[in-house]
Amino acid sequence: ASGRPIVASDVAAIATAVRHRATGVLVPAGDPTALAAALNELVADPGARLRMGQAARDEALGRFALDACAGEFCRTLGGVYA
């Protein structure tokens, strides 16, 4: 929740945590050219960097805060043991 946009490879479940062009930028795995382009884009566009960074922070605090995670965990356990 540092308020920075995320640049990550689009592998496995990463896209469930990083929303492309909303909280960060997803690039194809194993593509250093795409990675460099994404980083350069964020360096060149402070507005996008700030917007995505704030959105990433807001989402992290909402989805991954202790209360949210504990509540989801308890709901899951309740469903398993009901």
Side-chain angles (χ1 to χ4, degrees):
S2 67
R4 304 289 191 274
I6 300 143
V7 178
S9 293
D10 190 5
V11 296
I14 297 299
T16 64
V18 179
R19 291 183 298 116
H20 185 62
R21 301 259 177 240
T23 60
V25 180
L26 294 172
V27 299
D31 188 343
T33 302
L35 176 60
L39 293 169
N40 285 330
E41 177 184 324
L42 290 173
V43 168
D45 189 347
R49 189 172 62 242
L50 291 171
R51 185 183 75 255
M52 283 189 249
Q54 186 61 52
R57 177 177 171 74
D58 293 345
E59 190 158 316
L61 292 175
R63 288 180 61 194
F64 305 114
L66 180 58
D67 291 347
C69 289
E72 184 62 30
F73 181 72
C74 288
R75 281 188 292 282
T76 301
L77 284 180
V80 169
Y81 293 108

